Short mmCIF file of all heavy atoms in Angstrom, two decimals:
data_model
loop_
_atom_site.label_atom_id
_atom_site.label_comp_id
_atom_site.label_asym_id
_atom_site.label_seq_id
_atom_site.Cartn_x
_atom_site.Cartn_y
_atom_site.Cartn_z
N ASP A 40 -27.91 -6.87 50.08
CA ASP A 40 -29.33 -6.64 50.02
C ASP A 40 -29.82 -5.93 48.77
O ASP A 40 -30.95 -5.44 48.72
CB ASP A 40 -29.77 -5.81 51.24
CG ASP A 40 -29.05 -4.46 51.37
OD1 ASP A 40 -28.21 -4.23 50.51
OD2 ASP A 40 -29.37 -3.71 52.34
N TYR A 41 -28.95 -5.83 47.76
CA TYR A 41 -29.36 -5.20 46.48
C TYR A 41 -30.52 -5.91 45.90
O TYR A 41 -30.49 -7.17 45.66
CB TYR A 41 -28.14 -5.30 45.50
CG TYR A 41 -28.43 -4.76 44.11
CD1 TYR A 41 -28.78 -3.50 43.90
CD2 TYR A 41 -28.35 -5.59 43.02
CE1 TYR A 41 -29.04 -2.98 42.63
CE2 TYR A 41 -28.57 -5.17 41.76
CZ TYR A 41 -28.95 -3.84 41.56
OH TYR A 41 -29.22 -3.39 40.31
N PRO A 42 -31.60 -5.26 45.58
CA PRO A 42 -32.85 -5.96 45.12
C PRO A 42 -32.81 -6.48 43.69
O PRO A 42 -33.61 -7.32 43.31
CB PRO A 42 -33.90 -4.87 45.31
CG PRO A 42 -33.20 -3.60 45.18
CD PRO A 42 -31.84 -3.81 45.78
N GLY A 43 -31.90 -5.89 42.89
CA GLY A 43 -31.87 -6.28 41.47
C GLY A 43 -31.05 -7.57 41.17
O GLY A 43 -30.67 -8.25 42.06
N VAL A 44 -30.82 -7.78 39.91
CA VAL A 44 -30.03 -8.93 39.47
C VAL A 44 -28.57 -8.60 39.41
O VAL A 44 -28.13 -7.53 39.01
CB VAL A 44 -30.47 -9.39 38.06
CG1 VAL A 44 -29.57 -10.47 37.56
CG2 VAL A 44 -31.91 -9.85 38.08
N ILE A 45 -27.68 -9.55 39.95
CA ILE A 45 -26.26 -9.41 39.75
C ILE A 45 -25.83 -10.62 38.96
O ILE A 45 -26.12 -11.80 39.31
CB ILE A 45 -25.53 -9.48 41.16
CG1 ILE A 45 -26.03 -8.30 42.04
CG2 ILE A 45 -24.04 -9.35 40.95
CD1 ILE A 45 -25.52 -8.37 43.47
N LEU A 46 -25.23 -10.40 37.82
CA LEU A 46 -24.85 -11.50 36.93
C LEU A 46 -23.51 -12.06 37.45
O LEU A 46 -22.55 -11.28 37.60
CB LEU A 46 -24.71 -10.99 35.50
CG LEU A 46 -26.01 -10.45 34.86
CD1 LEU A 46 -25.74 -9.99 33.46
CD2 LEU A 46 -27.13 -11.39 34.93
N VAL A 47 -23.43 -13.38 37.63
CA VAL A 47 -22.26 -13.98 38.11
C VAL A 47 -21.92 -15.19 37.26
O VAL A 47 -22.71 -15.72 36.47
CB VAL A 47 -22.39 -14.47 39.57
CG1 VAL A 47 -22.60 -13.27 40.53
CG2 VAL A 47 -23.54 -15.45 39.70
N GLY A 48 -20.61 -15.66 37.39
CA GLY A 48 -20.14 -16.74 36.53
C GLY A 48 -20.53 -18.13 36.99
O GLY A 48 -20.44 -19.11 36.29
N SER A 49 -20.90 -18.31 38.33
CA SER A 49 -21.22 -19.61 38.84
C SER A 49 -22.08 -19.41 40.08
O SER A 49 -22.04 -18.36 40.68
CB SER A 49 -19.98 -20.43 39.25
OG SER A 49 -19.38 -19.87 40.44
N PRO A 50 -22.85 -20.42 40.48
CA PRO A 50 -23.71 -20.29 41.70
C PRO A 50 -22.85 -19.99 42.91
O PRO A 50 -23.28 -19.24 43.83
CB PRO A 50 -24.36 -21.65 41.84
CG PRO A 50 -24.43 -22.20 40.44
CD PRO A 50 -23.19 -21.71 39.78
N GLU A 51 -21.59 -20.55 43.02
CA GLU A 51 -20.74 -20.35 44.11
C GLU A 51 -20.33 -18.86 44.28
O GLU A 51 -20.18 -18.38 45.39
CB GLU A 51 -19.43 -21.16 43.99
CG GLU A 51 -19.60 -22.71 44.12
CD GLU A 51 -20.25 -23.30 42.88
OE1 GLU A 51 -20.11 -22.71 41.79
OE2 GLU A 51 -20.91 -24.35 43.03
N HIS A 52 -20.18 -18.16 43.14
CA HIS A 52 -19.86 -16.73 43.23
C HIS A 52 -21.00 -15.93 43.86
O HIS A 52 -20.83 -14.79 44.28
CB HIS A 52 -19.55 -16.19 41.84
CG HIS A 52 -18.18 -16.52 41.36
ND1 HIS A 52 -17.92 -17.62 40.67
CD2 HIS A 52 -16.99 -15.87 41.51
CE1 HIS A 52 -16.62 -17.69 40.42
NE2 HIS A 52 -16.08 -16.59 40.87
N CYS A 53 -22.20 -16.48 43.85
CA CYS A 53 -23.37 -15.82 44.48
C CYS A 53 -23.53 -16.19 45.93
O CYS A 53 -23.42 -15.35 46.85
CB CYS A 53 -24.64 -16.21 43.67
SG CYS A 53 -26.18 -15.48 44.34
N THR A 54 -23.69 -17.56 46.20
CA THR A 54 -24.03 -17.96 47.59
C THR A 54 -22.93 -17.90 48.53
O THR A 54 -23.08 -17.72 49.79
CB THR A 54 -24.59 -19.36 47.50
OG1 THR A 54 -23.62 -20.25 46.84
CG2 THR A 54 -25.88 -19.45 46.74
N SER A 55 -21.63 -18.03 48.05
CA SER A 55 -20.51 -17.97 48.99
C SER A 55 -20.22 -16.58 49.49
O SER A 55 -19.59 -16.38 50.53
CB SER A 55 -19.26 -18.55 48.35
OG SER A 55 -18.83 -17.69 47.26
N VAL A 56 -20.71 -15.56 48.71
CA VAL A 56 -20.53 -14.15 49.11
C VAL A 56 -21.70 -13.66 49.95
O VAL A 56 -21.51 -12.96 50.92
CB VAL A 56 -20.34 -13.29 47.84
CG1 VAL A 56 -20.19 -11.85 48.24
CG2 VAL A 56 -19.10 -13.75 47.08
#
Side-chain angles (χ1 to χ4, degrees):
D40 61 357
Y41 175 63
V44 174
I45 302 172
L46 302 180
V47 295
S49 73
E51 291 75 23
H52 281 90
C53 178
T54 55
S55 67
V56 177

